[in-house]
Amino acid sequence: MIDEKQITDAANIIKESNYIVVFTGAGISTESGIDDFRSEGGLWSRYDPAIYASYHYFLDDPSKFWEMNRSLEDLVANAEPNPAHYAIAELEELGKVKAIITQNVDMLHQKAGSGKYDAKIFELHGQFGTLECIKCRKEFHYEEIDTKSVKYPVCDCSGFIKPKVVLFGESLPIGVMEGAMNACRECDCFLMVGSSLVVSPANFMPSIAKQYGARILFINKESTVMDNIADIFLRGSASEIFTALMKKINT
Ligand code: APR
């Protein structure tokens, strides 16, 4: 049950803010049909990340990563944004959201229209849709390579091919972290949606924003390891909470 007073208070903070950073995790996409990682039945309950999402393991044997990735290809390609993604795009159009820092690789923020006005999108863990050879850095799109009938795709140069997503043990894309940290220092409101906040360095962001004076709003189904820094913790479904927030903001 959504707490009316919390919705009103959070909507007032959003109305008073002019530089909102939205920080999202896999929880914002579960209502688009993409499982998150650590909820019950999440991806890591089916695939051990130490094997299936480890860069070092991938260098040794890419077939495990590709077994997992193959199971997600069509799902991610066909996923549609949900009301939470659209609300964030609407807050950008209203001139409120200036940056979206996402741990997600599903590009649902872009599909919902985020980035169309003046918000920057920082994809901390890369993007599912583009692939590259880890040896010669040649880039590919899924339609250009066969990922279904082989154990794993290999480049003409003999290098392994993988989506440009950050695996455990792999460094984050150059410059993305710096841009995201700057946005956290600039913002007057930091809105976290759908993350357990257990993975660094992404999980540094809320405390940086707090340290620089931003008001902190959390929207999440479960408690996180950083609830204590939130000024308001809106517990529940991201879609339902954003629908209630946008009703208040647009009245
Ligand atoms: N509405 C709100 N919150 C939700 C919803 C929803 N519909 N569905 C799930 N959640 C919450 C869960 O309760 C959980 O706390 O979203 C959070 C998702 O947490 P994780 O599964 O840990 O995902 P995330 O925080 O994005 O993981 C960070 O870990 O494995 C790596 O690279 C991977 O980017 C990922 C990173």
Side-chain angles (χ1 to χ4, degrees):
M1 190 53 196
I2 293 179
D3 178 319
E4 266 311 306
K5 179 173 179 330
Q6 281 196 320
I7 291 285
T8 306
D9 293 348
N12 288 336
I13 289 177
I14 290 170
K15 280 185 194 169
E16 289 154 13
S17 303
N18 297 302
Y19 192 124
I20 299 177
V21 162
V22 178
F23 175 94
T24 63
I28 197 172
S29 298
T30 55
E31 290 167 271
S32 296
I34 302 175
D35 284 342
D36 65 12
F37 297 94
R38 296 173 182 81
S39 289
E40 205 171 315
L43 199 66
W44 294 155
S45 68
R46 304 197 295 275
Y47 296 100
D48 176 357
I51 296 173
Y52 289 87
S54 145
Y55 191 56
H56 301 291
Y57 200 102
F58 175 86
L59 295 177
D60 234 15
D61 170 12
S63 65
K64 288 291 183 197
F65 167 80
W66 273 101
E67 181 192 323
M68 173 185 72
N69 201 70
R70 201 168 290 119
S71 75
L72 298 169
E73 274 174 44
D74 296 342
L75 181 72
V76 174
N78 301 318
E80 288 301 323
N82 63 58
H85 295 103
Y86 286 117
I88 293 164
E90 189 183 341
L91 287 172
E92 174 184 343
E93 197 177 346
L94 293 171
K96 296 279 173 197
V97 168
K98 297 289 191 285
I100 293 137
I101 302 171
T102 186
Q103 301 171 94
N104 302 337
V105 298
D106 57 30
M107 296 186 64
L108 288 179
H109 286 299
Q110 290 92 330
K111 274 189 184 173
S114 286
K116 208 160 62 180
Y117 296 92
D118 54 0
K120 287 195 188 63
I121 301 179
F122 298 100
E123 294 175 300
L124 296 180
H125 297 159
Q127 216 180 63
F128 195 87
T130 316
L131 303 102
E132 72 172 351
C133 167
I134 62 167
K135 194 169 163 189
C136 70
R137 297 289 166 215
K138 184 177 172 200
E139 292 198 351
F140 304 86
H141 291 285
Y142 277 98
E143 52 275 13
E144 294 169 81
I145 51 170
D146 171 13
T147 63
K148 305 272 191 218
S149 62
V150 292
K151 273 181 84 179
Y152 49 86
V154 178
C155 180
D156 294 345
C157 80
S158 79
F160 296 146
I161 296 174
K162 68 178 266 297
K164 290 184 83 173
V165 296
V166 178
L167 300 184
F168 287 107
E170 206 175 355
S171 49
L172 270 63
I174 309 274
V176 174
M177 201 51 198
E178 290 73 9
M181 304 266 263
N182 287 337
C184 291
R185 284 191 277 263
E186 292 285 314
C187 71
D188 52 9
C189 174
F190 181 95
L191 172 54
M192 186 286 282
V193 192
S195 180
S196 59
L197 294 173
V198 297
V199 170
S200 58
N203 66 355
F204 298 166
M205 306 282 158
S207 7
I208 292 171
K210 179 100 181 170
Q211 197 187 337
Y212 279 78
R215 292 197 280 185
I216 310 293
L217 304 176
F218 278 11
I219 297 175
N220 209 54
K221 257 193 180 153
E222 294 156 11
S223 276
T224 75
V225 292
M226 296 187 180
D227 292 0
N228 60 311
I229 70 167
D231 295 301
I232 300 179
F233 187 115
L234 294 154
R235 193 186 187 106
S237 142
S239 287
E240 283 170 29
I241 288 170
F242 266 112
T243 303
L245 281 172
M246 295 315 287
K247 265 203 199 102
K248 282 273 180 228
I249 289 161
N250 289 325
T251 45

